[in-house]
Amino acid sequence: MSYIDLMKQRAKVDKKTIVLPESNDKRTLLAAAKILEEGIANIIMIGDEEKIMDGAGWLEVELDCITVINPKTTDRLEEYVNVLYETRKSKGMTPEKAREILLNDYLTFGIVMVKNNDADGMVAGACHSTADTLRPALQILKTAPGVKLVSAFFIMDTVMKEQGENGTFLFADCGLNQDPTPEELAAIADTSSRSFKSLVGPKPVIAMLSHSTKGSAKHALVDKVVEATKIAQEQYPHLVLDGELQTDAALVPSVAKSKAPGSPVGGRANILIFPNLDAGNIGYKLVQRLGGAEAYGPMLQGIAKPVNDLSRGCSWEDIVGVVALTAVQAQLV
């Protein structure tokens, strides 16, 4: 059974309700139909029910079992206006502004539903930027207790079943923090360890990646990863973590034996922490597009309730996968 099929099975055990606010996107409609067909989650879509059902008819998919909430007609609008106002009034929010936002911004409407416990999580980003998805989540849901930094990761399900966790890896940060400091890289490693345990397996093994292994190159970029590794080892001593490591030293035992002898991580990493967003974004897309891996994300970690992003290049199958992962995350909140 593939990784994502295992996640779908987990999602079905305790079915959660996920908001899909991008109801005008055909990939979202196709995904919603498949999610309902497989029983992965209950689905709420935001928008005009007639238009949504017309779109489903044009695509020849069945959406009769979804819940559609139209901000313009729902009797919950005033309740949601109050939630948004109370949450953001210290930042200058007024009831009038809250109403205007909720009537026009479906992503914020969905986040308020999650905040109000009317849904367990939200997935968006097929036709919105990461910033558009993340901003209301951070403003309204805020960070989870004990989390220093919100970051993004991908679950990569590869054909290399002898590596990682049966071929599955967590890559971070590949979608949010552009140039994290050493302290931020250490925090990303810690949060990624938690995400790995909840979504992949019980034994995270973390490689702090660089173009250098154990001093083979001298550069400020290498120094950052060395410092991040030191901070992570001091602040999170429970982690199995090492760096700085080149990717081959992190993944291939024979290379690790030569380049990083004695490393507790070398040759067996299942979490790859990239030094910056350029490396992370390029890395996951190479593994996906040339290596044939399934990529699920960018998933967001560190928010109080599950809200996950999508690549604007995603397929409807990708949306199904991220909804399954979001539902599993919601089971653990």
Side-chain angles (χ1 to χ4, degrees):
M1 184 178 291
S2 70
Y3 166 76
I4 201 61
D5 286 336
L6 289 171
M7 292 300 103
K8 289 177 181 178
Q9 290 296 328
R10 285 180 61 182
K12 293 175 186 178
V13 171
D14 179 15
K15 192 182 293 187
K16 297 299 181 181
T17 298
I18 306 300
V19 180
L20 298 178
E22 296 170 314
S23 58
N24 61 344
D25 186 277
K26 70 177 184 179
R27 294 166 296 175
T28 302
L29 299 179
L30 290 167
K34 188 64 173 177
I35 291 160
L36 295 174
E37 178 187 330
E38 296 191 21
I40 296 166
N42 301 313
I43 294 297
I44 296 173
M45 300 193 81
I46 301 171
D48 182 281
E49 183 169 9
E50 183 176 353
K51 290 181 179 178
I52 291 170
M53 292 308 169
D54 283 348
W58 181 75
L59 293 168
E60 299 182 340
V61 297
E62 178 62 62
L63 290 179
D64 287 349
C65 293
I66 68 165
T67 298
V68 177
I69 304 294
N70 187 336
K72 294 180 174 61
T73 60
T74 179
D75 58 8
R76 307 295 294 275
L77 178 62
E78 293 309 313
E79 180 180 353
Y80 292 161
V81 166
N82 188 59
V83 170
L84 181 54
Y85 165 65
E86 289 294 335
T87 303
R88 299 287 296 162
K89 63 183 179 182
S90 66
K91 301 297 184 180
M93 183 66 67
T94 64
E96 294 75 20
K97 183 64 174 177
R99 183 177 291 103
E100 179 185 352
I101 291 171
L102 290 170
L103 286 172
N104 294 284
D105 183 350
Y106 289 178
L107 270 66
T108 298
F109 193 98
I111 292 293
V112 171
M113 292 192 72
V114 176
K115 172 75 172 178
N116 207 47
N117 296 318
D118 292 326
D120 300 302
M122 189 181 88
V123 173
C127 49
H128 289 85
S129 69
T130 294
D132 289 336
T133 303
L134 182 61
R135 188 182 305 108
L138 284 175
Q139 291 176 344
I140 297 166
L141 297 176
K142 307 186 186 303
T143 57
V147 172
K148 296 180 180 179
L149 179 74
V150 173
S151 56
F153 67 93
F154 276 81
I155 297 293
M156 305 297 297
D157 187 21
T158 78
V159 297
M160 308 300 290
K161 299 306 179 185
E162 72 280 6
Q163 295 180 324
E165 183 76 14
N166 192 34
T168 303
F169 295 83
L170 188 151
F171 286 12
D173 183 331
C174 300
L176 185 57
N177 294 286
Q178 291 185 315
D179 189 17
T181 65
E183 293 79 6
E184 289 171 337
L185 278 178
I188 291 168
D190 178 52
T191 314
S192 296
S193 173
R194 302 183 208 179
S195 294
F196 187 90
K197 287 180 180 178
S198 66
L199 294 174
V200 183
K203 296 180 180 179
V205 181
I206 306 168
M208 308 295 281
L209 295 184
S210 174
H211 68 272
S212 169
T213 295
K214 298 299 183 180
S216 65
K218 304 296 183 184
H219 193 277
L221 293 174
V222 177
D223 294 341
K224 182 175 84 166
V225 178
V226 171
E227 180 65 16
T229 302
K230 180 181 177 181
I231 293 169
Q233 290 170 338
E234 291 174 350
Q235 294 188 359
Y236 315 109
H238 60 284
L239 297 179
V240 179
L241 175 147
D242 198 17
E244 86 283 15
L245 295 172
Q246 292 165 291
T247 304
D248 55 356
L251 299 178
V252 183
S254 60
V255 176
K257 185 176 180 180
S258 171
K259 289 186 175 183
S263 170
V265 168
R268 62 190 195 94
N270 49 36
I271 297 176
L272 304 183
I273 304 298
F274 292 86
N276 56 42
L277 189 57
D278 277 344
N281 190 271
I282 292 166
Y284 101 76
K285 286 181 177 176
L286 283 172
V287 174
Q288 178 190 31
R289 300 299 181 180
L290 297 183
E294 296 294 330
Y296 299 101
M299 309 283 290
L300 300 177
Q301 54 188 1
I303 298 177
K305 293 188 178 182
V307 175
N308 286 313
D309 193 16
L310 295 161
S311 167
R312 278 172 284 179
C314 70
S315 66
W316 68 263
E317 293 94 341
D318 295 331
I319 300 175
V320 173
V322 173
V323 167
L325 292 171
T326 305
V328 172
Q329 285 180 315
Q331 293 171 353
L332 304 171
V333 172

